[in-house]
Amino acid sequence: MAFNHYILVCGGTGCESSNADKIYKNLKAAAEGHNIEKDVQIVKTGCFGFCEKGPIVKVLPEESFYVEVKPEDAEEIIGEHIVKGRPVSRLQYREAGKENAGIENISFYQKQVRVVLRNCGFINPEDINEYIARDGYAALEKALFSMSPDDVIEELKTSGLRGRGGAGFPTWRKWLFTKQVEDADQKYVVCNADEGDPGAYMDRSVLEGDPHSVLEAMAIAGYTVGASKGFIYIRAEYPLAINRLKIAIAQARELGLLGDSILGSEFSFDIEIRLGAGAFVCGEETALLASIEGERGMPKPRPPFPATKGLWDKPTVINNVETWANIPVILTKGGEWFAGIGTESSKGTKVFALTGKINNSGLVEVPMGTPLRDIVYNIGGGIPNGRKFKAVQTGGPSGGVITADNIDVPIDFEHLQELGSIMGSGGMIVMDEDDCIVDVAKFYLEFTVEESCGKCAPCRIGGRKLYNILDKISKGKGTAEDLEKIQSIGHAMKRASLCGLGQTAPNPALSSMHYFADEYRAHIEDKNCPAGVCTDLVRYTVIEDKCIGCGLCARKCPVSCISGEKRQPHFIDQDKCIKCGECFNACKFDAILRK
Amino acid sequence: MAKLNLEALRKLREENKQALEIRDTENKTIQIIIGMGTSGIAAGAKQTLKAFTDLLRERNLTQVSLRQAGSIGLDHAEPVVEVRMPGMPDIIYGKVDPKVAEQIIEQHIIGKELLNEHVFDRPARDIVQD
């Protein structure tokens, strides 16, 4: 027999440390006290996020959401809510004085609004019927039979959708430029699926979970701008996404949703896949188009923009996967609905790939303007092992850091730019106190140097120079002039590089220097790495008073540089030590000093 | 399949809508949905899928349909499985290895009880249904 109620007690690390276990036991005892243990099941769950408001208790099926529950509240939850059916209002979560405008019926505690990811994890991506059942191809149907191309552009304009590839250019305007070219015998529609930022994988997830949404949107664009051919440029490292796209294209063709005279209308449109070899620069639109044409993927100066002179010099609409995935919803639910989500200048939602030092890593889709604090603490579940939050890198190798001081700034295109970062594709890498900011900046520079195509000197030479300076600083050989050099080289690259890769490559270094100047100075002046990451600046020594001589560190040491008698303080041979930190992690008595 | 015209597409959508709600076309009232995105597969979703397939066959549970989907985005909890059945709330289970898969069959589907320690929160409401 099934239960009438289910009580879920969050058992994440955060709630666990604030008495969740006691709450769980008290609830069970209270249920038994009322003789209703047969009607209600009480379980502990995985982390619900929302750790700031923990411990969390949720009651199903009515979905009551209780926050900051204390063990002594258990009796009231059982007695009032379960027995008498009156939810305990003083414990219920309330939004602090704000309602998400435009979405009245959104569940009151959930921070996420899933527009782009609406079907991911729910439909079978390899079965077109399931997509159709979820209003799939209804937007294409609407466009073809009840809207003119101008209507579609007007709807996009109302929605306020801006490009999700990172730069945020208004999508309607891009489409309009292409539509307005009249003397072209051929136009193209291109999907940029060359997601290359370290730590970003939202485009991959959309293509793996809901490939038809991209196909449908591209067909709508074809109808709107007068293009009959589309290309999806996707990196070969995404075999599963490629496979599902192929299946989706085949199924759409079979049903006549792609191909000649779609749904019996006069509009014909077909899509082909082009594989990229995984060069980061090929995510830049002009380099991407060169790559589709079979050239080496290198950027070209803009203007002319692809919208008027793109693939094989024909007018080309090129948008990123996430931008495409928004479009069917905008047509089916209306631009007004979409514009009701987000901020004044940035409408809709943004998908972030939350990774790094965070409890609940994963894909997060939130309305634009959501503060970072909500993402890190309410959805991400905070920092593991009780470490301190240090910063978040947004926008990957082209972006910058957001520090604890700015954790309440609403995240949208403008605010991120003000902070010296960018929206970028939506990678969000969380760092804690154990991450060295110089090391992180060096990592990104290493990446952009590796990925620079070498066409223009500022990026090719400047990037390498920047990397060398950072490397020097991380080895304790930096000087005060080096910081000035980073500034001047960085700003020159920003001004003179040919494409976005070079223009934004200095961002991680410039941004981290701006916010963590003291950490750079510690590396240069004190020859010290506060986080203990830069191996050349770290020394591990045994604190003799604390060492009990258990020998655990010696057993863990991979180079056997620790010696000592049993029950006597041990000793680390600095000449042999490779500074791996194994001893530091192994010691249970904090007897190893790292500095 | 024939090429769709407008009418046929609308008809197909209605038919599939009901089927997706509950697949009683083949008397399948219970759905187990497994996340098979890259992150799920990397965490072992294929083994989980195989465990479910074997278990359903062994126990002759013909009313259960196994479905595959993309990633729901709870990467920290992969492999993620959603169970939908009449008389029970829709539940998302995380960290479902073959052993937990067996518990889901035994305890949730047959015993109508939730599993301890494996329930995760739904990330967001469904905008398509709203």
Side-chain angles (χ1 to χ4, degrees), chain B residues 6-42:
Chain B
L6 187 54
E7 287 310 306
L9 174 65
R10 286 178 179 169
K11 193 162 152 260
L12 187 65
R13 183 174 302 127
E14 279 318 306
E15 284 168 11
N16 280 314
K17 260 196 177 142
Q18 288 152 6
L20 202 60
E21 286 295 308
I22 245 174
R23 316 214 136 204
D24 55 4
T25 39
E26 314 143 39
N27 220 349
K28 295 209 186 284
T29 50
I30 302 174
Q31 296 180 39
I32 298 178
I33 307 166
I34 305 186
M36 297 291 273
T38 294
S39 53
I41 291 170

Side-chain angles (χ1 to χ4, degrees), chain A residues 192-351:
Chain A
N192 181 347
D194 191 79
E195 163 174 74
D197 283 10
Y201 53 94
M202 39 273 167
D203 295 352
R204 186 186 71 193
S205 291
V206 170
L207 295 170
E208 284 177 5
D210 192 17
H212 284 284
S213 64
V214 173
L215 304 186
E216 180 180 9
M218 287 173 75
I220 291 166
Y223 167 75
T224 309
V225 305
S228 61
K229 187 122 193 67
F231 289 97
I232 298 176
Y233 186 87
I234 178 168
R235 48 178 50 217
E237 288 106 323
Y238 284 1
L240 191 60
I242 293 165
N243 191 26
R244 288 184 179 163
L245 268 175
K246 281 183 180 160
I247 292 169
I249 291 172
Q251 289 180 343
R253 279 183 190 153
E254 197 181 335
L255 291 182
L257 294 160
L258 284 177
D260 290 337
S261 57
I262 291 172
L263 292 173
S265 71
E266 286 171 18
F267 171 63
S268 301
F269 185 79
D270 204 2
I271 294 176
E272 281 182 38
I273 297 175
R274 286 288 182 274
L275 301 186
F280 183 61
V281 74
C282 287
E284 198 279 337
E285 56 181 14
T286 56
L288 185 151
L289 296 176
S291 184
I292 294 182
E293 290 169 9
E295 303 287 323
R296 180 174 160 189
M298 292 203 286
K300 296 186 181 107
R302 295 178 308 179
F305 287 93
T308 52
K309 208 169 171 207
L311 201 54
W312 292 292
D313 288 342
K314 307 291 185 203
T316 304
V317 166
I318 174 164
N319 284 122
N320 153 283
V321 171
E322 195 184 327
T323 315
W324 290 120
N326 275 298
I327 284 162
V329 186
I330 290 174
L331 291 200
T332 47
K333 285 188 172 276
E336 290 281 347
W337 174 88
F338 190 85
I341 311 169
T343 63
E344 194 56 41
S345 64
S346 307
K347 300 297 186 194
T349 60
K350 178 77 191 91
V351 184

Side-chain angles (χ1 to χ4, degrees), chain A residues 373-390:
Chain A
R373 179 185 298 278
D374 275 352
I375 298 174
V376 172
Y377 290 99
N378 288 341
I379 300 170
I383 317 292
N385 310 324
R387 308 301 285 165
K388 217 167 109 226
F389 171 87
K390 181 170 191 166

Side-chain angles (χ1 to χ4, degrees), chain A residues 30-50:
Chain A
E32 281 165 24
H34 285 273
N35 278 326
I36 53 164
E37 66 264 39
K38 294 253 187 313
D39 305 325
V40 57
Q41 193 196 359
I42 299 155
V43 291
K44 255 204 234 174
T45 68
C47 181
F48 270 18
F50 237 75

Side-chain angles (χ1 to χ4, degrees), chain A residues 41 44 110 114 141 208, chain B residues 10 38 72 114 116-117:
Chain A
Q41 193 196 359
K44 255 204 234 174
Q110 271 170 329
R114 295 203 161 190
E141 177 191 316
E208 284 177 5
Chain B
R10 286 178 179 169
T38 294
I72 201 165
L114 302 186
N116 222 347
E117 310 279 3

Side-chain angles (χ1 to χ4, degrees), chain A residues 6 24 41 44 46 58 107 110 114 122 124 130 134-136 141 208 244 255 333 361-363, chain B residues 4 6 10 13 17 36 38 67-68 72-73 75-76 88 114 116-117 119 121-122 125-127:
Chain A
Y6 301 90
Y24 172 73
Q41 193 196 359
K44 255 204 234 174
K58 200 171 166 182
S107 188
Q110 271 170 329
R114 295 203 161 190
F122 183 66
N124 180 351
E130 296 201 4
R134 307 253 306 154
D135 293 337
E141 177 191 316
E208 284 177 5
R244 288 184 179 163
L255 291 182
K333 285 188 172 276
S361 57
L363 286 186
Chain B
L4 295 177
L6 187 54
R10 286 178 179 169
R13 183 174 302 127
K17 260 196 177 142
M36 297 291 273
T38 294
R67 295 175 46 211
Q68 295 183 41
I72 201 165
D75 295 75
H76 63 284
M88 295 278 283
L114 302 186
N116 222 347
E117 310 279 3
V119 178
D121 203 10
R122 177 172 304 284
R125 285 182 60 118
D126 185 1
I127 62 154

